Amino acid sequence: GALEDRTLLSAQPNLSLSVPAETFIGEQFGMSVTFDNTSLTDVGYGPYVTLIVPARGADGPYVGVPPNLTADGIRYVGGTATFLGSPITPIVNQFFTGVGPTASISFQIPGSIVGKTITGTVGDQLLVFQLPFGSFAPDQPPATINLTMQGSNFADLGTPLTFTAGGGFIFGNDPLDNAPPNGGDPDIVDSTPAIATNTPVLAKLAKTYVGPENETATGPNFPRQYVVTLDVATGQTLTNVHLRDFLPNNVQFISASVVGNGTTLVTDLGTPSTSTPGGNVLRLLNTVVGTAAAADATLTIDFY
């Protein structure tokens, strides 16, 4: 008889990651990993998810086995993982042995005698989740796990750090834990890894128009405002901060004011004419200290 094509008759685990492209140095942020079965017909059994968290950072772990917690990467905040609003507890491992920069970790899915081995970079974390159901059908909604991560205060500015998600069906296409005597499972189905990066940043700048419907009547009877906002990573301090705004030649400057958290000295380095449109507004702030607020310094410009 013809051989059965198991490629067409197999559960198909699929992983995806939702990670912010940029976050502030030293701050916490949320992310998620989503599991799905994209097969058209087959149920998968024993669904699980793995997530490699870049705890090592750009410079790697410091001396210690396992590497101590002062490595400059990103770490999972314990107890924050949820599934459908309820807590879900991962097995938390760390890659800390091996020859060279990589190491292997072996683990078992709870309730199974079948083991898995994952290879990662020394210093990174490995989270292993068992999804709270025994099988996953093709018509089942995707399962999303939400987590909170903590960035390091010592992260390398502008250096992307990589998350890698994996997983699959530890029992494959049947509910039996049919491992052979030498270990492993001939039916195990693994996903293609999902990869996403997060880049630590120090500050973000935004400019907003304060007025009706992003438009205005002209003339001095209709004064409006622009607000330039500087947001600095919590706990970080910037010195000699220049806030500048370039006004187009159809905007007449009236006045400007500036405030900054921790700022004790503001120097006027440029003020446009109050009778000729256009010009540059430039203020020097001696210090700006980052807080959890969305605005750590603001430059407000009145114009018409």
Side-chain angles (χ1 to χ4, degrees), residues 8 10 30 50 59 78 90 110 125 130 160 177 184-185 214 226 242 297 299 303:
L8 299 177
S10 176
T50 63
D59 300 321
Q125 285 182 315
Q130 181 185 28
D177 198 0
D185 187 337
N214 284 320
Y226 287 125
H242 292 73
L299 171 62
F303 72 93

Side-chain angles (χ1 to χ4, degrees), residues 5 7-8 47 73 128 130 146 151 173 182 254 262 297-298:
D5 186 354
T7 302
L8 299 177
V128 181
Q130 181 185 28
N146 295 296
N173 295 300
N182 60 349
I254 299 175
T298 57

